[in-house]
Amino acid sequence: MDALEAALDMIWPRRLARYSGWAMIAPAILLVGILVLGLVQIAEGSLHTLDRSTFLPSEEYTLANYQTIIDSTTYWRVLWRSLLGAGLTVFFTLLLALPYSYIMVRTSSATIRKSLLVVLFLPFFIGQVVRAYGILIVLGTSGAVNDVLGLFGVEPLRLLFNFPAVVFGLVQYMLPFSVLLLAPALTAIPRETETAASSLGANWLQSFWHVVIPMAKPGLVGAGLVVGTLSLTDFAMPAMLGGGSQDFIANAIYDQFFRTADQGLGAALALLLVALGSVIAGVVIAIFGAGTLGMGGRK
Amino acid sequence: MKQGAPAETSREKSEIKRPVAVRARDLTMDFGDGAPAVDRASFDLETGRFLTILGPSGSGKTTLLRMIAGFQKPTSGEITVNGHAVDATPPHRRSVGMVFQRLALFPHMTAAENVAFPLKMRRYDPRSVPGRVRDFLDLVKLGDYGERRINELSGGQQQRVAIARALVFEPELLLLDEPLAALDRKLREEMQLEFRRIQHELGVTTINVTHDQREALVVSDDIIVMDGGRIQQHARPVELYRMPENTFVAGFLGVSTFVAGTAFPGGLKSGDLHLSGTHAGEIAEGTPVRGAIRAEQIRIVAAPDSLATCDTAFPSRILDVIFEGERLLYVAESDRLPGVAFQVYHHDTEAFDLYEIGAQVTIGWNARDMKIFKSTA
Ligand SMILES: Nc1ncnc2c1ncn2[C@@H]1O[C@H](COP(=O)(O)OP(=O)(O)O)[C@@H](O)[C@H]1O
Ligand SMILES: [Mg+2]
């Protein structure tokens, strides 16, 4: 122990102890710093248009890229689609995650709890791309779902490459995250509180609506925020399940950077996405307080 | 079941005046992990009375209460509340108000919203709700606190909200599961008197659970003492204190000293010492017994002569003197009964600090005060 302390003293002398806190968050600051640096560069890039003759960014500063976005119906449609997709994903994910985590937390059977946990964690080991590919196979024209429908004499349906398919994929992808965020909030509600509600005359539905959901609000808001921002910025699901027809903002950015090579326009889109996400998160936190994310904020 | 059944029964109650509100017969709850949590409990509780279930932690009090509330289905046995089997209606249709061990108030509502909750769930006329809520907040002396959130109230005030919420829909039965256990002593004693006042005011049949013997004696019309899932004794407080039926009850209420020995007519024999006492029931001579004598029933004097009126008296030595504020507790031992430390209360405003550690004294008591029970072990 003494040797260890001596060694520690060499690396980090005692008199530096009051800077220990800073030393510990230094890596985080470094990471955020790199991120900010990148953002600044992107912001700078967004102020130059692409010179189509030389394929080089223009010399002078201009807001032309932003003007292009505002004037373009395509980008408005992409933006609207991303927001709607994220909103629907939040709604359906929470709708499914709430009963799932409630049963997981409340069940008296250890077997059921373990099975629910395993089912929850399995998808984590399978990447997003593989999962999207799995959905492609299952929902494809000759996939399992259409096979079953065929048994009932239904003609093969086009289940893929449309908006619902993208939302379906996103919900499927987000469910584990939201269950993991909701479970602690539900665990924090004492069972006795629900028994009390029932003794006071609430049936299970009323007790769920008037007691469980309001008391789980911090978890619901936190999960909604995480799912919402992750969906809004998602790339893989719209790309694979939308088949090019259902682009979200991230797909549009990708196209500008890697297909059209219009770095300026891509940068402008990227900044818009960052701003949009920040505003949404800011508004949600302002309304519900920082405590909603389990950070102990109290009014 | 029928809508409005609770209202009908409460009207019936006032007209016909049913003598028994709660009837339990051979209630058993076996969780299947060793001894049953509640073992063949039977009792009757009359309408309007205040019953306390008293017992140490783990004796099955909560389990018994949960079965009466209908939250727990008994392994066997039956319970009726006002003549109806408890499980004939789902929990939210029953007319039972319950105050929980950890109160279980709704933190996202104000005090008034908490009290209004059962009225909304039970579809009271919305116009009558605010007035009713106000009446019951007044009843618990929280008239001005309705708009406060639960976390803006003190422990005692939260307590009162929980009581108002459990009573506002005028249940047939009020159940209290150690709601006072977490309070400090002063507040606890204040709330005990509050429970009594409110119960007298409304006349609601009440079952209270506690491990605090003082609370049981102070608030109750009837006490059931439980241990190991079994009812040890069911009696009025005074009766229970004066005439415990077994060593557990004798030891649980008040401070008693136990002496092991064998029975003989008019007392027990321990070594060569004959101690006067009263047998609890028929006990044959020579049976192993335990005698119990309460600390306030032992007399302690310096000179043996002044205990001439006592049925039993013998010399002892003071082992310890404990100052308890309103009285002194002496611990005394006799050479003739080694290993038995007699606990003796001494309360004499004239001569408060009479004996020191090591002093030679004489202790004694009357035959009716030492209760003699058959040894169980
Ligand atoms: N749900 C349960 N499952 C298994 N055992 C239980 C359960 N509830 C209570 N018990 C057991 O029953 C016994 C009595 O518990 P309880 O009624 O809570 O006692 P008390 O309220 O007097 O402290 C204890 O041994 C406890 O461990
Ligand atoms: Mg208990």
Side-chain angles (χ1 to χ4, degrees):
Chain A
M1 209 65 221
D2 280 349
L4 194 68
E5 273 176 24
L8 208 66
D9 244 18
M10 301 254 287
I11 305 165
W12 192 251
R14 243 162 244 274
R15 67 198 147 77
L16 291 181
R18 62 199 168 109
Y19 303 112
S20 295
W22 290 106
M24 292 205 188
I25 59 166
I29 292 179
L30 201 69
L31 275 177
V32 173
I34 292 173
L35 209 67
V36 170
L37 212 67
L39 266 180
V40 169
Q41 222 153 47
I42 288 179
E44 206 270 339
S46 76
L47 298 175
H48 301 283
T49 48
L50 182 70
D51 187 335
R52 296 264 165 202
S53 53
T54 60
F55 272 93
L56 284 173
S58 59
E59 284 292 324
E60 72 282 15
Y61 288 94
T62 163
L63 287 171
N65 283 325
Y66 293 96
Q67 193 60 47
T68 313
I69 296 171
I70 290 170
D71 291 342
S72 147
T73 45
T74 315
Y75 287 133
W76 277 110
R77 198 161 344 110
V78 168
L79 184 71
W80 171 237
R81 186 187 293 129
S82 310
L83 280 171
L84 183 67
L88 287 174
T89 305
V90 168
F91 177 77
F92 285 112
T93 307
L94 292 186
L95 198 67
L96 295 173
L98 190 62
Y100 192 102
S101 26
Y102 183 79
I103 292 170
M104 198 172 80
V105 165
R106 281 289 190 256
T107 180
S108 53
S109 148
T111 323
I112 293 181
R113 194 188 335 268
K114 274 182 205 145
S115 326
L116 288 176
L117 264 174
V118 168
V119 171
L120 191 68
F121 272 106
L122 265 182
F124 272 129
F125 303 127
I126 309 165
Q128 203 189 356
V129 173
V130 177
R131 242 192 298 169
Y133 191 67
I135 295 176
L136 282 178
I137 294 173
V138 173
L139 293 185
T141 347
S142 52
V145 172
N146 269 319
D147 282 353
V148 173
L149 286 177
L151 294 181
F152 297 95
V154 180
E155 287 294 301
L157 296 174
R158 193 171 169 277
L159 300 170
L160 284 168
F161 310 129
N162 50 25
F163 186 63
V166 175
V167 173
F168 175 82
L170 281 172
V171 169
Q172 213 257 358
Y173 176 47
M174 297 298 169
L175 200 58
F177 294 109
S178 54
V179 170
L180 285 183
L181 284 162
L182 273 180
L186 290 173
T187 315
I189 303 174
R191 214 173 272 252
E192 224 176 35
T193 314
E194 284 173 73
T195 313
S198 136
S199 84
L200 294 169
N203 59 33
W204 73 265
L205 197 66
Q206 289 170 315
S207 145
F208 205 75
W209 183 253
H210 292 289
V211 176
V212 175
I213 290 183
M215 285 180 78
K217 205 174 76 184
L220 283 168
V221 174
L225 198 58
V226 169
V227 170
T229 43
L230 283 181
S231 313
L232 187 67
T233 56
D234 196 59
F235 175 80
M237 289 298 169
M240 296 185 72
L241 300 179
S245 68
Q246 303 295 331
D247 281 359
F248 277 28
I249 305 178
N251 308 88
I253 297 170
Y254 179 88
D255 283 351
Q256 291 313 323
F257 275 121
F258 300 105
R259 291 224 177 113
T260 352
D262 189 342
Q263 308 262 343
L265 193 57
L269 280 168
L271 269 193
L272 273 183
L273 182 55
V274 170
L276 194 64
S278 311
V279 166
I280 292 174
V283 166
V284 169
I285 290 177
I287 293 177
F288 297 101
T292 49
L293 295 176
M295 292 181 219
R298 283 269 146 136
K299 12 178 180 64
Chain B
M1 286 285 292
K2 294 165 290 173
Q3 276 284 346
E8 264 166 46
T9 41
S10 59
R11 216 176 310 130
E12 255 171 27
K13 191 172 69 182
S14 53
E15 278 162 20
I16 308 178
K17 192 76 190 159
R18 288 169 180 274
V20 175
V22 180
R23 166 168 288 154
R25 285 293 173 272
D26 288 321
L27 270 187
T28 299
M29 183 69 232
D30 193 342
F31 289 108
D33 47 4
V38 173
D39 193 3
R40 284 163 288 158
S42 299
F43 66 90
D44 285 345
L45 173 61
E46 289 164 23
T47 302
R49 292 183 75 85
F50 196 125
L51 168 74
T52 293
I53 300 170
L54 173 67
S57 180
S59 57
K61 307 183 295 291
T62 298
T63 307
L64 179 55
L65 203 68
R66 288 176 61 85
M67 289 192 286
I68 297 167
F71 295 139
Q72 188 110 56
K73 202 174 156 41
T75 314
S76 64
E78 53 189 82
I79 328 153
T80 58
V81 174
N82 288 335
H84 302 290
V86 157
D87 51 11
T89 37
H92 64 278
R93 295 275 179 74
R94 292 176 200 141
S95 184
V96 174
M98 185 149 175
V99 179
F100 292 81
Q101 201 154 358
R102 275 165 295 161
L103 299 185
L105 292 169
F106 304 132
H108 57 289
M109 300 182 193
T110 63
E113 285 167 350
N114 265 278
V115 178
F117 184 83
L119 302 179
K120 283 195 191 130
M121 294 303 116
R122 289 169 192 264
R123 298 186 193 290
Y124 275 60
D125 180 354
R127 282 164 303 176
S128 73
V129 169
R132 231 184 146 70
V133 168
R134 210 172 318 114
D135 289 348
F136 277 81
L137 282 175
D138 284 340
L139 176 75
V140 296
K141 299 180 181 159
L142 278 184
D144 300 331
Y145 293 85
E147 295 316 307
R148 296 267 188 104
R149 291 213 159 244
I150 295 309
N151 60 6
E152 294 165 353
L153 296 172
S154 72
Q157 290 167 335
Q158 294 185 3
Q159 216 46 256
R160 290 165 186 270
V161 176
I163 298 166
R165 188 181 72 171
L167 286 172
V168 69
F169 58 100
E170 289 178 63
E172 297 171 357
L173 186 61
L174 175 65
L175 304 179
L176 310 165
D177 187 6
E178 303 206 43
L180 303 182
L183 299 183
D184 60 73
R185 193 181 140 201
K186 194 107 186 146
L187 197 54
R188 191 164 66 233
E189 290 176 359
E190 181 192 320
M191 289 307 297
Q192 287 165 3
L193 297 178
E194 279 293 284
F195 275 151
R196 226 169 89 117
R197 174 184 68 82
I198 292 166
Q199 200 266 343
H200 281 238
E201 222 163 286
L202 300 179
V204 57
T205 312
T206 304
I207 303 181
N208 173 45
V209 158
T210 187
H211 62 263
D212 178 347
Q213 49 135 331
R214 199 198 111 92
E215 176 182 324
L217 295 173
V218 166
V219 301
S220 323
D221 298 318
D222 286 292
I223 298 177
I224 284 179
V225 180
M226 288 200 51
D227 184 44
R230 300 226 179 128
I231 293 183
Q232 302 294 325
Q233 191 169 352
H234 179 179
R236 304 280 149 99
V238 176
E239 228 176 286
L240 194 74
Y241 194 83
R242 292 250 184 89
M243 287 175 282
E245 279 172 7
N246 57 41
T247 48
F248 179 82
V249 178
F252 198 69
L253 282 103
V255 172
S256 296
T257 304
F258 289 92
V259 185
T262 53
F264 93 85
L268 68 81
K269 213 163 69 169
S270 184
D272 64 338
L273 204 58
H274 286 192
L275 303 176
S276 308
T278 309
H279 292 188
E282 286 291 314
I283 303 178
E285 189 172 343
T287 314
V289 289
R290 298 226 294 157
I293 178 83
R294 289 197 192 284
E296 69 272 21
Q297 286 162 337
I298 303 181
R299 299 195 51 199
I300 184 163
V301 294
D305 312 346
S306 35
L307 283 190
T309 57
C310 284
D311 299 325
T312 282
F314 50 88
S316 307
R317 189 168 29 85
I318 302 283
L319 290 183
D320 203 355
V321 184
I322 296 152
F323 178 55
E324 290 189 353
E326 69 270 34
R327 66 195 168 200
L328 282 172
L329 174 66
Y330 290 114
V331 183
E333 192 182 34
S334 166
D335 290 339
R336 300 173 67 187
L337 273 174
V340 181
F342 285 95
Q343 294 177 287
V344 186
Y345 278 142
H346 187 74
H347 175 96
D348 184 347
T349 45
E350 301 292 313
F352 203 73
D353 210 359
L354 272 181
Y355 314 108
E356 298 193 337
I357 293 175
Q360 289 297 326
V361 294
T362 301
I363 62 172
W365 59 79
N366 286 314
R368 71 181 137 82
D369 290 331
M370 176 172 253
K371 305 288 182 305
I372 294 169
F373 308 100
K374 277 184 198 158
S375 286
T376 40

